[in-house]
Amino acid sequence: MHRVDTTQLLKGVLDLAVLAALRDEDGYGYDILRRLRAAGLDDVGDASVYGTLRRLFAAGFLTTYVVPSDEGPHRKYYGLNPAGRAELERSAKTWSGFASTMDDLLRERGTA
């Protein structure tokens, strides 16, 4: 039986997942990675998350600030700005529509 490659699916939704992980609380890179894994995205890689954070920041969706750490190097925190919240809302609607369509297709085929 062919197994769906979840890493390919994840690439398409990682921006949305990272924005959602930052919805309620700012976080630094590894903290965001832990949130995603705790939510069930076990296959997400740290390099993917850091690249996504840099891309979302460059796109104007995130703010950053540095917090000193007693346990090592300073940590760069990321948070949603108003543009990021708007992008989260827009992307969540797009995802909901896509997921609903896929659910419908799978139900029609008797596989869901």
Side-chain angles (χ1 to χ4, degrees):
M1 179 175 161
H2 179 70
R3 185 174 165 267
V4 174
D5 183 0
T6 56
T7 57
Q8 290 301 314
L9 293 173
L10 190 57
K11 284 181 185 178
V13 297
L14 191 54
D15 286 8
L16 175 58
V18 168
L19 291 171
L22 289 168
R23 176 182 40 233
D24 298 325
E25 184 180 6
D26 295 354
Y28 57 94
Y30 186 70
D31 177 49
I32 296 163
L33 177 65
R34 283 191 307 217
R35 291 180 202 179
L36 294 171
R37 288 182 176 164
L41 299 178
D42 299 325
D43 292 337
V44 67
D46 54 348
S48 297
V49 171
Y50 287 103
T52 298
L53 288 167
R54 284 191 297 273
R55 188 173 58 259
L56 291 171
F57 176 74
F61 299 135
L62 302 177
T63 58
T64 63
Y65 55 95
V66 175
V67 175
S69 173
D70 295 332
E71 303 168 4
H74 298 330
R75 292 184 172 151
K76 186 176 190 177
Y77 277 74
Y78 295 86
L80 292 182
N81 60 25
R85 291 194 181 282
E87 178 63 14
L88 172 58
E89 185 176 328
R90 186 196 66 73
S91 293
K93 286 179 184 174
T94 300
W95 170 257
S96 292
F98 178 77
S100 176
T101 299
M102 290 304 300
D103 286 344
D104 291 346
L105 282 170
L106 292 170
R107 260 193 299 285
E108 289 173 11
R109 304 270 187 249
T111 56

